[in-house]
Amino acid sequence: MDEPILTIEEREAINAGRWFSSLSPSLRHDILRCAYVKRFKDGDLIAARGDPPEDWIACAKGAVRVSSTSISGKQITLTYVEPGIWFGDVAIFDGDRRTHDAYAHGDTTILCVAKADFRKILASHVELYEAMLRLHARRIRQLFGLVEDLNTLPLRARLAKQLLHLVRSYGVPQLADGSELRIGLQLAQEELAQLLGASRQRVNQELKAMEREEVIRIEPGGLVVRNRDALMRIVEADNT
């Protein structure tokens, strides 16, 4: 059963979101006032491709795996929506149907604002229009950045950038000094490879090379980043 309110940790994740935290207190209050909570188990379908857009959504805990299905019927992971990130607004604006499937990755909590409420908030807060433009502009920049990386960076550098992003979003300290961070998001190597547009075999080779260099450690429970500076050097070496 859905819990009626967010936990303290979930609310903190929403409020700490870079975009949401930039909004005025009154706008944040009105958004949260009409939002409702949904909780999902790992693998549960949150939204399906072709669904009409009923809600504007934020991830409050866990992750939302956004995927597509290939002609052969294989599911391809495109991205993971992390806590504090809002999504689903494009379909509300253009009136078209959902373009991808969204699944819970691990125990996941989402915050939903019904389409009608979203439009009411837009009508009463002009600020939200400009804020949505900023949000969409950021997404476009990220998209162009991904396309550029795919076409200009070798797999090793793209993998290092992805690991840095994952450790920023899901890093869990393993040592008292914080020098080692476990990536809390559980990803199979196949899923990591899909994010990078590469084969699992090639990603596995690069991961093992990084492990030999003591940059990361591969464990049964996932990846531990041992040296973030070394990951950054890998990225910077291929950007020069």
Side-chain angles (χ1 to χ4, degrees):
M1 235 179 123
D2 294 342
E3 294 292 335
I5 59 173
L6 296 172
T7 66
I8 293 174
E9 292 78 12
E10 291 166 349
R11 181 176 284 269
E12 287 177 347
I14 293 292
N15 287 325
R18 177 181 166 191
W19 176 80
F20 190 73
S21 63
S22 71
L23 305 179
S24 67
S26 62
L27 177 51
R28 294 199 305 269
H29 174 269
D30 282 359
I31 290 172
L32 295 175
R33 180 175 56 83
C34 65
Y36 60 95
V37 176
K38 284 188 173 183
R39 302 185 190 281
F40 297 89
K41 296 296 185 183
D42 181 48
D44 286 351
L45 179 66
I46 295 174
R49 178 175 183 171
D51 282 351
E54 300 296 342
D55 300 295
W56 182 37
I57 306 170
C59 180
K61 174 188 172 184
V64 177
R65 179 171 61 86
V66 180
S67 66
S68 183
T69 305
S70 68
I71 296 175
S72 63
K74 179 182 178 181
Q75 277 199 355
I76 305 297
T77 299
L78 302 175
T79 190
Y80 289 89
V81 179
E82 64 198 59
I85 301 297
W86 291 79
F87 64 101
D89 43 90
V90 172
I92 292 178
F93 275 119
D94 67 14
D96 212 340
R97 294 179 177 271
R98 302 288 191 199
T99 55
H100 298 91
D101 299 318
Y103 293 89
H105 190 81
D107 289 340
T108 299
T109 302
I110 63 172
L111 193 64
C112 302
V113 176
K115 179 170 64 175
D117 289 327
F118 177 70
R119 295 193 178 281
K120 288 178 183 176
I121 297 170
L122 276 174
S124 58
H125 289 271
V126 176
E127 170 196 352
L128 185 54
Y129 278 101
E130 184 178 345
M132 296 305 300
L133 284 175
R134 291 199 307 270
L135 181 61
H136 292 171
R138 184 181 302 163
R139 289 174 182 163
I140 291 170
R141 286 180 181 273
Q142 291 172 341
L143 178 60
F144 275 110
L146 288 172
V147 173
E148 181 180 10
D149 288 351
L150 191 60
N151 285 279
T152 61
L153 293 182
L155 176 59
R156 177 177 169 85
R158 301 205 313 275
L159 175 58
K161 285 188 77 169
Q162 185 66 60
L163 293 178
L164 283 168
H165 170 74
L166 290 171
V167 84
R168 280 194 298 268
S169 302
Y170 295 98
V172 180
Q174 295 298 287
L175 298 176
D177 62 2
S179 60
E180 291 192 357
L181 293 167
R182 175 183 296 280
I183 296 175
L185 184 69
Q186 299 297 310
L187 292 180
Q189 286 191 12
E190 176 66 27
E191 293 171 318
L192 185 57
Q194 289 174 8
L195 291 176
L196 296 166
S199 68
R200 185 190 63 78
Q201 291 79 5
R202 289 190 62 208
V203 169
N204 180 259
Q205 290 171 1
E206 295 292 352
L207 288 172
K208 287 183 176 178
M210 289 181 181
E211 186 172 41
R212 288 193 298 271
E213 296 162 10
E214 299 185 345
V215 178
I216 66 169
R217 185 168 64 251
I218 303 172
E219 296 183 350
L223 295 175
V224 175
V225 173
R226 302 180 63 188
N227 192 330
R228 281 169 287 177
D229 291 338
L231 282 178
M232 187 61 71
R233 287 194 293 270
I234 292 172
V235 176
E236 291 172 347
D238 286 299
N239 270 322
T240 56

